[in-house]
Amino acid sequence: MSSPSTADPPVLTSSAPSESRSEETFHDDKESTEVQDESSFNSWSTTAMEVESSLRMYENSRTLKVKDELRKRQEFMEMMSKSFAEKAAEQFKRYEEKMELKRRQEIHQLQEQMEKDHKEAMEKEEKLKEEHRHRATLLSLKLREVEQQRQQELERVRQEEGRDRTRRLCSLQQEALQLIQQIEVDYKQQESLRLDLSAYSHRGNQICGILSNIVRSSSERGYPTQDDVSMGESSVQEMKALVSNMQRDMAAAEERRKAEEAAAREKQKESEVQQQAKSQPQDVSKQTQDRGQTRKEGLQENAAKSTVQRYRQLQSICDQSLKSFSELSTCKDSKTKSLKAELQKAVTIPVSQISTISGSQLREIFDKINNVLLGKQITSGRQAVSVSQHPQALEFVYYKLAEKFVKQGEEEVASHFEAAFPIAAVASGIWELHPRVGDLLLAHLHKKCPYSVPFYPAYKEGTPFEDYQRLLGYKVDDSMVEQQDNFLKRMSGMIRLYAAIIQLRWPYGTKQASPHPHGLNHGWSWLAQLLNMEPLVDVTATLLYDFLEVCGNALSKQYQAQFWKLLLLLKDEYFPRIEMITSAGQMGSVTRLRQFLETALLRKEIPLPKGYLSSSFWRT
């Protein structure tokens, strides 16, 4: 706030005293100045007081006004604050009500959810209790049923074992009767041999009487015991020993008789020679001409007689084997049929599992097959089986195992050449321990692939074309002969398997010192005989290539220079005959064989075949 302008008070000044002024003048001037100053001061003081009073009034009025405005503003602010406070309180109250409502809703929802969950839990618990009671009831029923089945199974097994022992005892009695008949038949020959065989006949009749008593007493008890069977087996063994001893004595007597007859014939011949001493000598030149008469002949059309005889012998063995288990094959009894099926699976499934994964796996497969053949009890499916459960079971297993080996060659080896070696290793080991399997394997192989003999079946007039094609190894379905490519593929698989078998031995065998049951000498013989026979279109070239690729390395190491001479003979003399009979569209196999021969003769080496099992394989 500004105050009105006022006149400035007079400024008091003094002049310097002068030495020329007098003291009186000084005092007069001083008094007049003081009067003037007092007058001026009084005048200024009155004005100042008025101004000050105005200022104070203004200030008071202004202060009152400001205080009034401030009071009003304060009242307004208090009113606004109160309004805001009330609004805030109201909003806060609404907010609390809203939150309280939300909280109550959440609590209500939570209570509803808890009640729902509780209800569901109770329902689930009740359901579980019901299921538990139901399952407990079922389990109790099942346990009773299982116990009943177990008792029934035990009774069935006991009865079945009893029936098996009965059948075994009856078969032993039948075998003993056959043996005593043989003794009686041979006993009639004692007159011609001048040999007394009455002791054998007497003891044989005693044994038959013992067996009859065992059978009769066991049938009265219900079923025979194992001791009865053991006694019967020992009786039959004694009977067999009797027959063997009797036959040995008869053979010795027969030898003596033949020696006496030979001596008599020798004496008679000497007397005849003496009587013909005067006979005319023959024409020496004619004898020389007959002995020297020769002619150059071509290759053979057929195999050697010894080879054909061995082929027919093996086929006869195979036929006899098939007939020997005809009872097992045609039996309608469900248990026997189940036994047959499980035994067949016990040897064929492991053969199907043979692979080159590891040597340990191959050994496990070999042990499985060998255990079956040794008569050990094995588990197949849910059934424990053994070849001892049926008198024809072992021969049946031999037959099916050999058939399966050849089938693997026909199918698996034909598609994957390297599969020949693991299959051959197992087959060779089984052959070594069970020679019967080896004979049947060869029989099946020769029947499906006569070129493995080697043997070319001759066509007989009147033979149906389909039958002759089957003899040659072709498959014939509904009078339709298989394609040549499929035929050659199957023949290749079987020849490769054969070539692998003759060079491999089972590394864990116990007869390593003994010779291979069907070793490389048979491969050499096969190759030599094949080169002495006229070649066949497609077949000869294909089989020669397959055989030499698989077995050539082993033959070269075994026969060395002789093998290379034979290979040179094949290339120079036999191979041109193959080319002569081969048309332009059939040169694939011929070309492969030519390249193989040329490479082998050039390098004087045949590499190991693909898939050959090295020593490191057997350590895996």
Side-chain angles (χ1 to χ4, degrees):
M1 175 185 293
S2 62
S3 59
S5 61
T6 58
D8 294 332
V11 178
L12 295 181
T13 59
S14 63
S15 61
S18 173
E19 289 180 331
S20 62
R21 182 181 292 184
S22 63
E23 187 178 342
E24 187 178 66
T25 306
F26 174 74
H27 287 288
D28 292 334
D29 293 335
K30 184 177 179 181
E31 289 176 359
S32 93
T33 302
E34 287 176 355
V35 172
Q36 188 179 0
D37 290 337
E38 185 178 359
S39 153
S40 299
F41 177 77
N42 291 332
S43 176
W44 177 83
S45 177
T46 303
T47 306
M49 289 178 63
E50 292 176 354
V51 170
E52 184 177 359
S53 177
S54 300
L55 288 173
R56 286 179 180 176
M57 290 177 62
Y58 176 80
E59 286 175 354
N60 290 335
S61 64
R62 187 66 182 173
T63 299
L64 291 175
K65 186 179 180 180
V66 168
K67 285 181 179 181
D68 185 61
E69 290 178 356
L70 182 61
R71 182 181 58 77
K72 291 180 178 179
R73 183 175 290 275
Q74 188 175 0
E75 290 176 353
F76 176 76
M77 292 301 296
E78 287 177 354
M79 184 181 66
M80 291 298 294
S81 296
K82 185 177 180 181
S83 175
F84 286 146
E86 289 175 352
K87 288 182 178 180
E90 191 69 20
Q91 288 180 354
F92 183 73
K93 187 176 180 181
R94 298 287 83 78
Y95 175 77
E96 286 183 338
E97 290 175 352
K98 184 178 180 180
M99 294 302 295
E100 181 66 16
L101 177 62
K102 185 176 181 181
R103 186 178 65 81
R104 286 198 300 269
Q105 288 176 345
E106 289 177 349
I107 292 174
H108 182 67
Q109 289 177 354
L110 184 60
Q111 288 176 347
E112 288 182 346
Q113 184 65 34
M114 290 176 63
E115 289 176 357
K116 183 179 179 181
D117 292 342
H118 178 69
K119 185 177 180 181
E120 290 178 353
M122 292 297 293
E123 291 176 353
K124 185 178 288 185
E125 182 180 2
E126 188 63 30
K127 187 176 180 180
L128 288 174
K129 287 181 179 179
E130 182 64 28
E131 288 180 357
H132 177 71
R133 287 192 295 270
H134 182 66
R135 289 182 179 178
T137 304
L138 290 178
L139 184 60
S140 177
L141 293 173
K142 188 173 289 185
L143 286 174
R144 286 199 296 270
E145 183 180 353
V146 168
E147 182 62 20
Q148 291 175 357
Q149 289 179 353
R150 189 179 71 85
Q151 294 296 335
Q152 292 174 358
E153 182 66 16
L154 289 175
E155 180 64 21
R156 188 188 63 79
V157 169
R158 188 187 69 80
Q159 293 179 1
E160 188 63 29
E161 289 176 350
R163 286 194 290 269
D164 289 341
R165 289 193 294 269
T166 302
R167 285 194 293 268
R168 176 62 178 159
L169 199 57
C170 290
S171 66
L172 290 172
Q173 185 182 23
Q174 184 179 3
E175 188 175 358
L177 291 173
Q178 292 174 352
L179 290 172
I180 193 63
Q181 289 176 1
Q182 185 176 352
I183 291 175
E184 293 296 338
V185 171
D186 292 335
Y187 177 70
K188 295 176 182 178
Q189 299 179 6
Q190 64 177 337
E191 295 179 359
S192 62
L193 297 176
R194 298 188 299 276
L195 184 66
D196 185 13
L197 302 176
S198 59
Y200 293 110
S201 177
H202 179 67
R203 181 55 184 163
N205 287 323
Q206 286 182 343
I207 294 173
C208 285
I210 293 172
L211 270 175
S212 297
N213 291 333
I214 293 173
V215 172
R216 184 166 53 253
S217 61
S218 64
S219 63
E220 291 173 356
R221 293 194 305 267
Y223 294 113
T225 64
Q226 187 60 40
D227 293 336
D228 294 336
V229 176
S230 300
M231 189 178 297
E233 290 175 345
S234 61
S235 299
V236 171
Q237 290 297 327
E238 184 179 356
M239 182 77 79
K240 289 180 178 179
L242 279 177
V243 172
S244 177
N245 293 335
M246 187 184 71
Q247 289 177 345
R248 186 176 63 249
D249 292 343
M250 291 178 63
E254 181 70 14
E255 288 294 328
R256 289 194 299 270
R257 185 179 65 80
K258 288 182 179 180
E260 292 173 357
E261 291 178 355
R265 285 196 301 270
E266 187 67 25
K267 289 181 181 179
Q268 184 179 1
K269 186 177 180 179
E270 288 177 359
S271 63
E272 290 176 355
V273 170
Q274 291 175 1
Q275 292 175 2
Q276 294 177 359
K278 297 180 181 181
S279 60
Q280 295 290 334
Q282 295 181 354
D283 188 351
V284 177
S285 61
K286 183 177 180 180
Q287 290 179 9
T288 304
Q289 182 179 359
D290 291 339
R291 287 195 302 269
Q293 183 179 4
T294 59
R295 63 186 181 86
K296 186 177 181 180
E297 298 179 352
L299 298 178
Q300 301 173 3
E301 292 288 344
N302 298 315
K305 289 184 178 180
S306 59
T307 303
V308 176
Q309 288 176 356
R310 176 59 177 164
Y311 166 76
R312 289 173 178 167
Q313 180 186 2
L314 289 172
Q315 296 308 310
S316 175
I317 290 173
C318 189
D319 294 339
Q320 290 173 5
S321 175
L322 186 60
K323 291 177 182 178
S324 67
F325 58 84
S326 58
E327 179 185 342
L328 178 63
S329 298
T330 58
C331 184
K332 302 299 183 181
D333 179 55
S334 60
K335 188 177 186 309
T336 305
K337 289 172 69 176
S338 175
L339 172 65
K340 180 183 72 172
E342 294 301 331
L343 284 174
Q344 183 172 347
K345 288 192 289 186
V347 292
T348 56
I349 290 178
V351 174
S352 301
Q353 295 171 344
I354 294 175
S355 66
T356 55
I357 294 177
S358 67
S360 58
Q361 186 207 38
L362 211 59
R363 188 170 185 178
E364 289 178 5
I365 292 173
F366 177 87
D367 290 340
K368 286 181 182 179
I369 300 172
N370 190 39
N371 288 339
V372 176
L373 301 182
L374 290 176
K376 295 182 180 180
Q377 193 172 63
I378 55 125
T379 302
S380 178
R382 298 181 179 178
Q383 184 178 355
V385 295
S386 168
V387 294
S388 60
Q389 293 178 260
H390 195 282
Q392 298 179 355
L394 183 59
E395 189 66 27
F396 171 76
V397 169
Y398 282 157
Y399 186 91
K400 291 300 179 181
L401 178 59
E403 185 180 48
K404 181 62 177 179
F405 276 130
V406 175
K407 190 174 182 180
Q408 285 296 98
E410 183 183 15
E411 296 176 356
E412 181 65 20
V413 180
S415 301
H416 307 94
F417 290 159
E418 63 276 8
F421 292 96
I423 298 173
V426 175
S428 177
I430 296 296
W431 192 335
E432 189 172 329
L433 297 177
H434 308 276
R436 180 70 171 176
V437 177
D439 290 342
L440 292 172
L441 190 153
L442 277 180
H444 283 294
L445 180 66
H446 293 344
K447 187 174 183 179
K448 287 193 172 185
C449 178
Y451 315 102
S452 62
V453 179
F455 174 60
Y456 303 158
Y459 177 76
K460 295 181 180 179
E461 188 174 355
T463 302
F465 175 75
E466 291 82 2
D467 293 344
Y468 181 62
Q469 292 298 308
R470 290 189 183 97
L471 288 176
L472 294 176
Y474 288 88
K475 285 184 176 180
V476 181
D477 294 325
D478 297 331
S479 301
M480 295 294 294
V481 181
E482 71 175 322
Q483 297 293 324
Q484 184 73 0
D485 290 343
N486 294 336
F487 166 75
L488 292 175
K489 183 179 179 181
R490 290 192 303 107
M491 298 301 110
S492 294
M494 288 184 279
I495 284 294
R496 284 178 177 270
L497 177 61
Y498 178 69
I501 288 175
I502 63 177
Q503 64 177 302
L504 288 180
R505 298 198 69 172
W506 182 246
Y508 306 107
T510 58
K511 301 180 181 180
Q512 296 294 324
S514 61
H516 192 295
H518 195 81
L520 283 171
N521 57 316
H522 289 86
W524 178 265
S525 175
W526 180 87
L527 186 59
Q529 289 189 63
L530 189 68
L531 297 183
N532 279 325
M533 299 174 67
E534 287 290 348
L536 297 179
V537 177
D538 261 357
V539 176
T540 303
T542 299
L543 299 188
L544 275 174
Y545 172 76
D546 291 326
F547 182 83
L548 289 174
E549 187 181 48
V550 175
C551 199
N553 179 272
L555 286 174
S556 66
K557 292 178 180 178
Q558 178 77 15
Y559 295 99
Q560 299 179 2
Q562 293 299 320
F563 173 77
W564 295 111
K565 289 180 181 178
L566 186 66
L567 215 62
L568 188 61
L569 174 70
L570 166 59
K571 178 180 177 296
D572 292 343
E573 298 186 19
Y574 194 77
F575 187 76
R577 289 178 176 266
I578 297 176
E579 289 182 313
M580 287 174 59
I581 63 172
T582 305
S583 62
Q586 300 170 323
M587 293 298 290
S589 57
V590 177
T591 303
R592 283 195 300 272
L593 178 60
R594 182 197 303 112
Q595 292 174 351
F596 178 86
L597 293 173
E598 290 174 351
T599 304
L601 289 169
L602 179 64
R603 299 178 179 176
K604 288 293 181 182
E605 179 187 11
I606 296 178
L608 282 171
K610 184 180 179 182
Y612 185 81
L613 304 181
S614 62
S615 58
S616 60
F617 169 79
W618 299 105
R619 294 192 292 270
T620 58

